[in-house]
Structure formats: C-alpha cells, structure tokens
Amino acid sequence: MTHVAAHGLAVDTLPGWEARIFRHQAADPRESTRPIVHMANFALPRERGDFGGGVTDRMGPGDVFVTLFEYGPESTGKPLFAHQGRPKLNARRFSPAALQRTLPGQSGCQLFFTEAGRPFCLYVVIGSHARVPALVDQVERALARVNVGRMDRR
Amino acid sequence: MSTTAVELEEHAAALAAVDGRRTLSQRIVDRAARAMRRGETRRSFLLKSAVVGSAVAVNPLQYMLRPGTAYASVCGPDAECADGWTVFCCSINGGQNACPPGTVTAGWWKADGSPFCGGGARYYLDCNAECHAGCGCGANGICGSGCHDWQCTCGTTECDHRRVACNAFRYGQCHQERACVGPVVCRVVSCVPPWQWDPSCTPAVATANATRLHHAPCLDRASDVDAFGAAADYGSPQSTTRPVVGMEGTPSGRGYWLVAADGGVFAYGDARFFGSTGAIVLNQPIVDLASQPDQRGYWLVAADGGIFSFGSARFHGSTGAIRLNQPIVGMAPTPSGNGYWLVARDGGVFCFGDARFEGSTGAIRLNQPIVGMAATPTDEGYWIVAADGGVFCFGDARFHGSLAADGGAPSVVDIDSTPFGDGYWLASGAESF
C-alpha cells in the first residue's frame, strides 16, 4: 500500500495499484490547471493524457484506469456538477461507448459531481466490458481510499 | 511557365543552394513543378503540392515507406474508425471547422508541441449532440440514443474515417449549464484557446498529446480573403501546408502577398515572389510579411521579432534584444520603405527606421488578441486588428468596417489597406496564431 497526497487530495492505494496526483504547469497565466488523480492496477506509463491517452491503448482485459479530474471554482454550482458527493459505481454505469477513445472491447464510466465543494469528473476505464462485473467492486474499493478535502479555491 | 511553377523552381533552387544536395522536399517540389508545366489547373496543382507537402511535414516516414496516398498521411495516425477517435467537423460539416447544427461545444483539450500551431499548443473542442427537450441524464452527463438526432457512424470523407456520434463522453469545460448532452459528434481545432472565443468554456486545462498529429485535408483548405471598402479580392490559396498568417497588398493596389507560418509566400495579382524562409530552420514561426513601396522586395517577421529581408527590402532593426511580454504578431512598413512597425499580441507597437509611434492598445482591455496591423499611406497612422476581426484605428487611420459582430471561432489573421487608405482587407485562415 502507498500513500500519496497533494492539492487537498489523498490516496491510499490498494495492493497492486499505483496512484499519481499532479497538476500541470500553466503555459499561459490565464489558463487554469487543476489537480488530477490517476490510479491503475498496472504500472502507469510516464507519458499520459489526462483522460488516459497513451494509457488505455496499452490496457489488457483485467486492467483498470481511473482519472479524478477537478474543474475550476467557476464551475462550482453549475448543473453539470449538481450531484452532491461521489456517486457509487456499479456495473450498470459502464458502457463500451462511454469512453474518450472507444477501443474494441473496453468499457467506461464517466460521472460528474461535487465533493467537499469541489467540482469533479470521475472517469474509469476497464480493459474488457465482459470483466466489468468482476472488477467493479475492486474499483469501488480503490475509490473508497481516495480522500477529497476542502481547500481554499484559487 | 506559370508564375507558381516559377516560384516553386526558385524555391527548389534555394533549397539546393543551402545544402548543396537534393533534399526530399526539393525532389517533391521539383516533381510538383513539372506537373504544373504539363497543363494542370492552378487550383488542382496547389492542392496536390500542398497535400504532398503536408504529408511530408506530418508523417514523413510513413509517407515515404508505406504504400498509400498523401491524403492518408495528411490525416495523421489513428484516422480509421476502429482507432476510436472522433472525426473533425470539417469532414462532416461542408468543410467548415465549426460545430454543425444540432451540436454544442461540451469540452476541450490541448495537445502541446503541435506542428500545426507553430510548435505551440493546438486546441480541440468536442461538439456533442444536443439533447431533445425533456430528455434527462444521470450523473454521467450524457443523454441516451433516443434523445438526440445523431447516429453512430464512421467518417467517409477523404482519409478522416474517424467516428461520428459514437463516443458518449464529455470533457466538461463548456456549456456546464447543460446537465446533459449527447455523444461527441465531431471536433473543431484552433491554435487559439477556446475560452478566449467561446464564452461558455472555462479555462480548466485538459491535455491529450496523443492527438497532436491528428489532422484532415479539409483543415488545410479554409484560407480566404474578405475585402472591405475599395479593396478587391484577387484570390487565395486552395490549400497551404501551414496556416496563412499574414498578408500585404502591393503599392499599386492590384495584388497582394499571403505568407504562411513556415515563411512560404503566395503572390496574387501583380505581386511578385522574391524568396521565402523555406530553406531556413526558424527559431520561431513567421507571423507576417511587409513589402517595399517599389514592390521589389519584402520583409518577413517571426514571433520573436526576427526580421528576414528579401529583394530590395533592407534591415532596420528588430526586437531580438528586447524581452517581449507577448510575441510579435504583425508588421507594417512606412511609405518610404525606410522603416517599419512591429505589433505584439497585446497590441504593443515597436518602431524601427523612420516609423513613428502613433499609439497602441496597451491601455485597452482586449476581447481577443491582436493579430496584425496596416499603415496608412501618409505615414501618420495605422490600423491594428484582433482575432475576432475587431479593428482599432490610430493617427489618421479611418474605420471602414469589421468582422467582430459575426461571431464564431476567431479566424482573422491579418489586415492590409488599399494604396489610398480608403479600404482594407481582412484575411482569415483555418487555424490562427
């Protein structure tokens, strides 16, 4: 088990899982870069798109990739983030179409919500749609070990 | 031999002169020039040579080693339906790099280091299907297949066979007032951050560098020239390997030059070709062209303010020794030809030679960045234009109209005036700096 924490987020990983918490450097001072959590039950490649570019095309059937992507304070209270608290995962939330990049056989789930006053998107990719029922509980256990704290928004 | 074939032969000769060997690019240019002499139409020739040039620039190894067309290489990697990405809007929207009817921008991402944006960031906006009234969705933000007017299919235009309305995903920075949208129908691209021209988009950055080489031929075909006042339209390129970034009218008023980001120069009407920076490795992309009053030379200026002189044009200084707050985006010559102005993205103006300062937009809050400038024939004023087509007048420059009220993605790249200052052209390109 590994503990990582930054930007008001903390993760205690499940055995066999990896986690990263990061925030891009803004190339333009008017850009808004927000914290991002990546988790996976396989070794995360160094070069990764925020929603799994360069990762999901390498996944096997039993692999799971998770993104927790935070939006800026201007998004707080918007209808897209109306759901309060992190929704629970279940197999019905997954679909082969719910993917940023629809690769054959894969399955995805994307949820928008507000937690601790912060707007988020949770995006989960499982390497095989057929494996969703078997893996979704493990994903939920991994997410239960992600802690979102309140922080001063800038 | 046509003017364009002469330009290309000179370009090829310049390449050979630089390194003494026939490069791949030179062989391709030579082949294209010979095709022109065989009687091809100007438009078909420009299209073919530009597409070949794009293929070499975007995917040189694949284009050379694998059987296939230049078009296939122009679309870049992962252009087939099974690759899982979404099509470009211009491939399904009549060539328009814009969201088609029945869709709405729902989010965006950027790819750093894009060759299509001079090595800077390229921005991709997803156009998601609009949901029918009364349709809801869960926390996933996506309405079901019976709640929008699109069907999942594969693109069929040229080499862009990517997906249409298949991916039930949203990046989420745009139109957050809409809890529900449909799947991604297509994507728009720009070198300008979306939050600068789509007020529904927040500046929360998402990055996906794996898409940096995704492209489509239709993205290279959207260059155009709009004329105002007494100015006339003499034509524009059907296609360019790099975006058009600047223009300059001839002193006679019967032609103009267009310049691309790699320093490629296109001459129309009575404008003549005197050279380009095609054979030079540039530190920064070219952003504008300004001509001599005798029409026998011109300058090219790069984003760092570096100046390249051709024909009768002489060097009068640059911003090379100045630490710029914002990159240079345009230049304008004085009527004497013994000086020029440079303008930066924030509207700051730098004067060289006999050019005099008449004002800048430094104290004005700009909606869009400045993209170019043009001087009046009296040497006592100039116009500065923003990416949305808004025009600012200084000194004795007079207002003749603008595109600022038209809306849509900002695409104006430059302005140039008629010889008497009684009108001006605004040039637009598919992707702007």
Side-chain angles (χ1 to χ4, degrees):
Chain A
M1 186 181 76
T2 303
H3 177 81
V4 292
H7 307 297
L9 301 164
V11 180
D12 292 301
T13 61
L14 287 176
W17 281 66
E18 229 179 81
R20 300 274 187 277
I21 302 175
F22 61 99
R23 185 169 179 169
H24 294 299
Q25 274 197 327
D28 184 317
R30 293 166 295 180
E31 282 182 350
S32 167
T33 61
R34 309 304 307 173
I36 301 170
V37 178
H38 280 173
M39 298 196 303
N41 64 352
F42 57 94
L44 285 168
R46 182 183 174 86
E47 296 293 327
R48 309 185 301 277
D50 293 348
F51 284 93
V55 179
T56 59
D57 54 347
R58 305 178 185 201
M59 289 171 60
D63 290 340
V64 179
F65 173 76
V66 177
T67 296
L68 185 65
F69 182 95
E70 183 175 3
Y71 295 79
E74 67 279 354
S75 300
T76 304
K78 292 293 175 63
L80 178 60
F81 304 98
H83 195 285
Q84 295 296 319
R86 205 181 315 166
K88 295 288 186 199
L89 291 187
N90 56 59
R92 288 189 309 277
R93 291 193 185 274
F94 282 81
S95 163
L99 293 165
Q100 177 232 26
R101 180 184 180 185
T102 43
L103 291 171
Q106 292 189 349
S107 194
C109 167
Q110 185 181 32
L111 300 168
F112 294 88
F113 58 94
T114 297
E115 182 171 345
R118 301 163 69 172
F120 285 102
C121 166
L122 172 67
Y123 177 59
V124 181
V125 180
I126 292 180
S128 167
H129 185 64
R131 299 286 300 270
V132 166
L135 290 170
V136 67
D137 286 346
Q138 184 185 138
V139 179
E140 187 61 27
R141 287 199 308 275
L143 288 170
R145 300 160 80 91
V146 176
N147 185 267
V148 176
R150 289 196 175 270
M151 58 186 282
D152 292 334
R153 306 303 307 283
R154 277 193 235 173
Chain B
M1 190 187 301
S2 71
T3 300
T4 304
V6 168
E7 292 166 10
L8 286 173
E9 296 247 343
E10 290 176 350
H11 181 62
L15 286 172
V18 166
D19 64 7
R21 292 170 291 141
R22 287 170 58 77
T23 65
L24 169 64
S25 296
Q26 183 186 357
R27 292 197 296 274
I28 289 173
V29 167
D30 282 353
R31 204 174 306 142
R34 285 195 293 275
M36 182 66 176
R37 291 201 294 274
R38 288 197 293 271
E40 286 200 33
T41 65
R42 181 183 183 85
R43 289 190 168 198
S44 65
F45 164 76
L46 282 173
L47 180 61
K48 289 178 186 177
S49 59
V51 167
V52 167
S54 289
V56 171
V58 173
N59 220 339
L61 200 56
Q62 174 176 318
Y63 176 63
M64 293 308 297
L65 296 183
R66 297 186 193 167
T69 64
Y71 272 135
S73 289
V74 166
C75 281
D78 306 323
E80 296 303 320
C81 205
D83 293 319
W85 298 103
T86 298
V87 76
F88 287 99
C89 290
C90 65
S91 295
I92 64 165
N93 193 26
Q96 299 295 312
N97 182 31
C99 286
T103 68
V104 63
T105 52
W108 62 274
W109 74 96
K110 69 167 182 171
D112 294 314
S114 169
F116 301 104
C117 292
R122 193 191 203 199
Y123 300 87
Y124 301 74
L125 287 88
D126 275 345
C127 302
N128 288 57
E130 291 193 275
C131 302
H132 298 154
C135 276
C137 60
N140 65 352
I142 301 289
C143 59
S145 59
C147 281
H148 58 82
D149 296 332
W150 296 86
Q151 296 231 347
C152 174
T153 184
C154 301
T156 57
T157 304
E158 293 170 316
C159 54
D160 190 8
H161 302 152
R162 300 177 177 99
R163 299 190 158 213
V164 181
C166 298
N167 297 7
F169 180 87
R170 66 189 288 187
Y171 269 86
Q173 301 99 324
C174 308
H175 285 291
Q176 295 174 342
E177 78 285 358
R178 297 187 183 218
C180 308
V181 294
V184 185
V185 171
C186 60
R187 44 186 170 159
V188 169
V189 286
S190 175
C191 298
V192 178
W195 42 269
Q196 289 190 16
W197 51 269
D198 185 334
S200 83
C201 296
T202 70
V205 175
T207 302
N209 291 331
T211 61
R212 60 185 282 275
L213 292 181
H214 290 188
H215 201 56
C218 52
L219 291 171
D220 291 328
R221 288 197 287 262
S223 297
D224 195 11
V225 170
D226 292 287
F228 293 88
D233 185 346
Y234 292 101
S236 56
Q238 273 293 304
S239 177
T240 56
T241 55
R242 289 290 181 267
V244 170
V245 296
M247 76 178 299
E248 174 82 355
T250 59
S252 70
R254 294 192 296 272
Y256 42 74
W257 293 272
L258 298 176
V259 64
D262 60 356
V265 176
F266 303 85
Y268 295 91
D270 66 350
R272 284 175 53 203
F273 178 80
F274 296 103
S276 70
T277 59
I280 300 172
V281 176
L282 300 172
N283 292 329
Q284 290 286 324
I286 296 298
V287 296
D288 203 3
L289 177 153
S291 74
Q292 276 281 294
D294 62 7
Q295 293 190 213
R296 298 213 300 259
Y298 44 70
W299 298 272
L300 303 186
V301 61
D304 59 3
I307 297 289
F308 303 88
S309 310
F310 299 91
S312 64
R314 295 288 172 263
F315 180 77
H316 297 289
S318 72
T319 59
I322 301 173
R323 186 180 176 82
L324 298 172
N325 291 329
Q326 291 286 328
I328 297 298
V329 295
M331 74 180 298
T334 60
S336 68
N338 293 322
Y340 38 74
W341 294 270
L342 305 186
V343 66
R345 187 182 170 93
D346 58 3
V349 176
F350 304 86
C351 311
F352 300 92
D354 64 353
R356 286 177 14 215
F357 183 76
E358 300 287 349
S360 71
T361 61
I364 300 173
R365 184 180 175 84
L366 299 172
N367 292 328
Q368 294 292 333
I370 297 300
V371 294
M373 73 181 303
T376 65
T378 63
D379 194 21
E380 293 178 2
Y382 38 76
W383 296 271
I384 293 177
V385 66
D388 60 359
V391 177
F392 303 88
C393 308
F394 299 92
D396 66 351
R398 294 289 172 262
F399 182 77
H400 297 292
S402 73
L403 293 173
D406 286 4
S411 61
V412 170
V413 297
D414 204 3
I415 181 172
D416 196 48
S417 77
T418 58
F420 298 105
D422 53 359
Y424 41 72
W425 295 274
L426 300 185
S428 62
E431 300 183 45
S432 58
F433 283 78

